[in-house]
Amino acid sequence: MCLMEIVRKTVSCGEPYPLARLGDERKILFIDIETTGFSRENNAIYLIGCGIPEGNRLRIVQFFADRGDEAELLDAFFRFLDPYRLLIHFNGKNFDLPFIRARAERYGIRAAFPEDLDIYQEARKLRGLLALPGLKQKDIERFLGIRREDKMGGGELIGVYQDFLHDRDGEKRRLLLLHNADDVAGMPEILPILSYRDFLSGGFALDSTEVVKTPPGQAAHSLRAQWTGCTDLPVSVHTAITLDHKKRGSGREVSPILGTALLTGRKVRLTLPLYEGELRHFYPDYKDYYYFADRDCAIHRSIAKFMDSPDRRKATAKTCYTRASGIFLPEPSAVFTPVMQQDYHSPLLFAPWREDLFSSPESAEEYVREVLRLLL
């Protein structure tokens, strides 16, 4: 007597994300499991849903322990899994895969998995950029504008499954299969979240720069710059650019807003306030310099030894600088030189602004990459 049911259906899913970026489309399998609880030792798997992409459709195969036989379900699943080379799941590294492995070992079933991709882990890296309220599959669906029929969560369905084993109610069976099928079918739909990862890791070409001048007495001028990336984004993102002081080891506080970034289509548009005033350039080899208090600057010893002044003293890391006035561009790392700071401990760096500052395509690309890193 067979104590497990295999349910098959095919749904339309389009191709919102090019699977070829991930590998051989014919060897990709989406998976999602349903369990009777969170303990691998004390709870069982009652449903494993698999999704096989076939062009603009997704073939769903569900292994359902409709009479409670977990061992038969796992054996059938691993035989089905054998030809696939990439598993795509949602939080499977923390839950699905360890759970399947533990339950398979319980029955002496060899649990061999191919390479895998966890959409949850990828989305987690982007949470700050995308301002996601949470990291559940439904949170990402809402961000991408996806609606789904299923209204119940996996935890709520545990009791439904226990009741189904006793009364064999058809509506309960439908709810159990629907939730799992929707989760499986939802994974290809939320794959476009990977576009942000692809976008940030791709190349960038500078389109334009423009200094927006303000009337005298108002805030400093701003730089507007635009780059084109290599990947189309599904949803535009407009966010503030801030510098986390912790990255430079000086605490947990976050600096004031440095500007804004708009990511739309294939474009990055930055608006960055330029600093106008006086800044300092600090020399790293301060032991080779003398500081002159009357000049408020440091001079290399090769010259300073010929300068007779009562205000001359050996420079320290904090006094080994020269000063410059003008207009400066903020930069999160030393892309352009000379590097300027407001004071020795300031985490924000500046470069003297000039019209040809972005004339090197390599430096222009490095700059936007460094700014985009601040968004993560």
Side-chain angles (χ1 to χ4, degrees), residues 112-156:
F113 296 108
E115 182 182 351
D116 68 284
L117 172 70
D118 193 332
I119 304 173
Y120 168 85
Q121 296 292 345
E122 296 299 326
R124 185 179 181 182
K125 301 170 188 175
L126 300 164
R127 185 174 184 178
L129 169 65
L130 305 181
L132 296 171
L135 288 172
K136 294 181 180 179
Q137 185 166 334
K138 291 180 180 179
D139 293 319
I140 298 175
E141 288 172 348
R142 281 191 286 268
F143 173 80
L144 295 172
I146 300 167
R147 295 183 179 182
R148 59 186 289 179
E149 178 185 351
D150 174 39
K151 301 299 182 184
M152 299 188 72
E156 299 173 272

Side-chain angles (χ1 to χ4, degrees), residues 41-42 53-54 112 119 127 139 141 155 164 166 168 173 185 206 219 322 352:
E41 293 75 25
N42 303 317
E54 297 177 340
I119 304 173
R127 185 174 184 178
D139 293 319
E141 288 172 348
F164 168 77
H166 291 94
R168 319 299 299 172
R173 175 184 177 277
L206 180 68
T322 55

Side-chain angles (χ1 to χ4, degrees), residues 320-332:
C320 191
Y321 60 77
T322 55
R323 296 172 294 119
S325 297
I327 297 176
F328 302 89
L329 173 72
E331 54 178 351

Side-chain angles (χ1 to χ4, degrees), residues 28-46:
I28 292 175
L29 186 70
F30 296 89
I31 68 162
D32 182 66
I33 70 172
E34 309 299 336
T35 68
T36 59
F38 298 108
S39 170
R40 304 169 199 166
E41 293 75 25
N42 303 317
N43 299 120
I45 300 171
Y46 69 85

Side-chain angles (χ1 to χ4, degrees), residues 15-66:
E15 191 181 351
Y17 183 85
L19 294 176
R21 290 183 192 170
L22 305 176
D24 186 345
E25 300 176 51
R26 299 166 299 178
K27 302 294 184 180
I28 292 175
L29 186 70
F30 296 89
I31 68 162
D32 182 66
I33 70 172
E34 309 299 336
T35 68
T36 59
F38 298 108
S39 170
R40 304 169 199 166
E41 293 75 25
N42 303 317
N43 299 120
I45 300 171
Y46 69 85
L47 181 56
I48 301 180
C50 302
I52 304 99
E54 297 177 340
N56 61 355
R57 302 183 71 78
L58 186 73
R59 180 161 54 92
I60 296 176
V61 179
Q62 294 172 288
F63 300 92
F64 181 39
D66 64 330

Side-chain angles (χ1 to χ4, degrees), residues 252-268:
R252 297 177 178 272
E253 71 275 11
V254 174
S255 72
I257 292 174
L258 307 182
T260 60
L262 173 64
L263 280 56
T264 181
R266 291 194 173 199
K267 304 294 184 180
V268 179

